[in-house]
Amino acid sequence: MAEVLALVDDLFFQAKMTETARRLGVTLQTVSNGGALVAAAAPQTHKLVLVDLNARHGALEAVAQLKAAGNAQPIVGFLSHVQTELAEKARAAGCQDVMPRSKFTAELAEILGRAKS
């Protein structure tokens, strides 16, 4: 069972996340679209859900579906720093935390480490 579930369709960034998780001893499961995120999160066994809000296939909609279904897992979304409107929509949809990709990248080890505590 993965401790962290992540929606990320950028293969280079996915590799960075996977390697960071491996170094920290955190189990990371990645999916590449919103539908897969909703399906994988359904058992609510993950300690943390990470969402690339710029993923091409239904990221924001998946967050809204998770929250509508009563999903209690913390959701952290990340996006381009200039996308303030999308950030507000993500918060409204159910992301507990929304941050620019640069901050997310800089704090990735700390964010993944939350799943260990």
Side-chain angles (χ1 to χ4, degrees), residues 1 9 20 27 42 46 51 55-56 86-87 95-96 103-104 110:
M1 165 184 43
D9 63 0
T20 303
T27 308
H46 304 92
V51 178
R56 292 179 293 275
L86 179 56
C95 285
Q96 282 80 8
K103 180 178 179 184
F104 180 82
E110 178 184 330

Side-chain angles (χ1 to χ4, degrees), residues 9-51:
D9 63 0
D10 176 327
L11 294 178
F12 291 111
F13 198 66
Q14 182 183 47
K16 178 181 181 58
M17 290 175 68
T18 300
E19 177 57 24
T20 303
R22 186 194 62 76
R23 281 195 329 262
L24 293 170
V26 173
T27 308
L28 174 69
Q29 176 184 357
T30 60
V31 296
S32 61
N33 64 64
L37 180 74
V38 171
Q44 297 193 37
T45 56
H46 304 92
K47 294 180 182 176
L48 181 63
V49 176
L50 307 175
V51 178

